[in-house]
Each structure stands twice: as C-alpha cells, then as structure tokens.
Amino acid sequence: MTIKNERKMKKISLNKLIQKYRILVQKLVSIVENAETDAVALMRLSQINDPEIQGSISLNPNTPSKVLENWLSVHNGIGGTDTEWRIHIVYNPSLRLDVLKQIIKKDKSKEVKEAALAALALRISRNSKATSEELLRVYKLIGKNINNRKRKKAAMEALKKHPKFSIKA
C-alpha cells in the first residue's frame, strides 16, 4: 500500500468515526430530552463533555440540582455562552429554591438575575401554598428589576393567574 492510499484510508476511517459520533450524540440527546429519563441516568450522562448533550440535560426537569449547581459554578462568566447557560439553568424546576434566590441577589449578570427572578415568579405562580403577600412581593420586584418586556410580562401574567394574587395584599 502506498503512502497516498494509506492517508486516504485514514481519512475515510476518520470520516466514519465522526459520522458515528454524530449519530451517538443524537441518540444521547433524545434520551436526555425524554421526560422519563431518571435523575441517575442524567447525572451519568452529564459527565459527557459535549455542549449539545449538556445543554439538553440543563433543560430536563429531572436533572439533579447538584449537576445544575456544578454547571453554575463552571459557567460563571459574564456574557456569551456562560450567561446563556445560567439562564437555561435558572428555569429548570430542579434547581433548589435557595440557589435560585442567591442568583437573584448575587449573580454578576443583570440578564441572569432577571431570568432568575422570572423563574422564581413562575415557580411561585404554580405553588398552591404561596401567600398573597409573597405573590405581591415578587410581582413588585419584577416591576422594578426586569427590563426585558417579554420576560416581565410573562412573569407578571403568571403571578396574576394565581388564585391568591391580589394587588391590594
């Protein structure tokens, strides 16, 4: 076999491997996106260093808070993909409430803080035990602290739908 043929064979083998890798990633993403995938499987899959797989894991509500909190510490920069990561994570209902509240108070990015506050509003709006005072407090915080109109409107509307919500509280 000549050197030229050997290089051609290596190139073909590499292309096949890349193709198989892409197919594998697609299959893993479909597993990760399945609402029935359990926390143990998601935790194991979170070890795969692939942005498409990890991004899908960050959106799955069965993902353990521990995994999400780890990614928050890894993606702690301002702007770009770090901000995008944290915005995805704050909307995940598996993220512990105390962590979400800390993000609202201390995150470096105003955009992430806004998203976290909107995520808090969505959680509270679904909580039958939320008090009218708590609903109103979050509603006022949204009015003062969220500049993104679409995000602000969605959060306020979610709170208004709660049966205990009252502006007069």
Side-chain angles (χ1 to χ4, degrees):
M1 186 182 291
T2 67
I3 293 176
K4 188 175 181 181
N5 284 342
E6 194 174 309
R7 284 185 189 153
K8 188 175 181 181
M9 290 300 289
K10 283 183 182 180
K11 187 176 181 181
I12 290 169
S13 296
L14 183 60
N15 286 340
K16 283 184 180 182
L17 283 173
I18 291 169
Q19 185 180 19
K20 287 181 181 191
Y21 174 78
R22 288 185 180 140
I23 291 168
L24 177 62
V25 167
Q26 288 172 347
K27 287 182 180 188
L28 291 172
V29 166
S30 68
I31 291 169
V32 165
E33 289 177 343
N34 186 330
E36 294 180 19
T37 302
D38 65 31
V40 174
L42 290 165
M43 187 174 282
R44 289 184 66 205
L45 290 165
S46 73
Q47 304 297 314
I48 299 171
N49 191 14
D50 181 275
E52 191 174 353
I53 294 169
Q54 289 184 346
S56 295
I57 291 171
S58 75
L59 299 173
N60 188 313
N62 298 329
T63 301
S65 187
K66 180 179 174 180
V67 171
L68 300 172
E69 291 168 41
N70 180 51
W71 285 341
L72 284 170
S73 67
V74 170
H75 299 285
N76 61 4
I78 295 179
T81 58
D82 279 359
T83 296
E84 289 174 26
W85 265 97
R86 292 198 315 282
I87 289 171
H88 284 294
I89 291 169
V90 298
Y91 281 106
N92 190 314
S94 292
L95 185 65
R96 291 190 347 241
L97 196 56
D98 62 312
V99 175
L100 184 61
K101 289 178 179 179
Q102 282 302 310
I103 292 168
I104 293 167
K105 289 180 184 176
K106 296 183 178 181
D107 199 275
K108 298 177 237 172
S109 166
K110 179 148 178 59
E111 191 176 359
V112 173
K113 285 182 177 184
E114 285 186 12
L117 185 55
L120 177 64
L122 294 173
R123 280 197 197 184
I124 291 173
S125 72
R126 296 178 187 129
N127 182 350
S128 61
K129 295 178 182 179
T131 65
S132 58
E133 292 82 12
E134 185 178 25
L135 293 161
L136 185 59
R137 184 178 54 76
V138 173
Y139 185 86
K140 288 178 179 178
L141 280 173
I142 290 166
K144 292 178 187 174
N145 297 300
I146 296 182
N147 294 323
N148 180 300
R149 283 186 187 169
K150 193 174 181 179
R151 186 176 287 147
K152 180 185 274 191
K153 183 179 178 182
M156 289 179 145
E157 291 301 317
L159 290 170
K160 286 179 186 178
K161 289 179 184 175
H162 195 284
K164 293 180 186 172
F165 180 80
S166 171
I167 296 285
K168 298 173 187 175

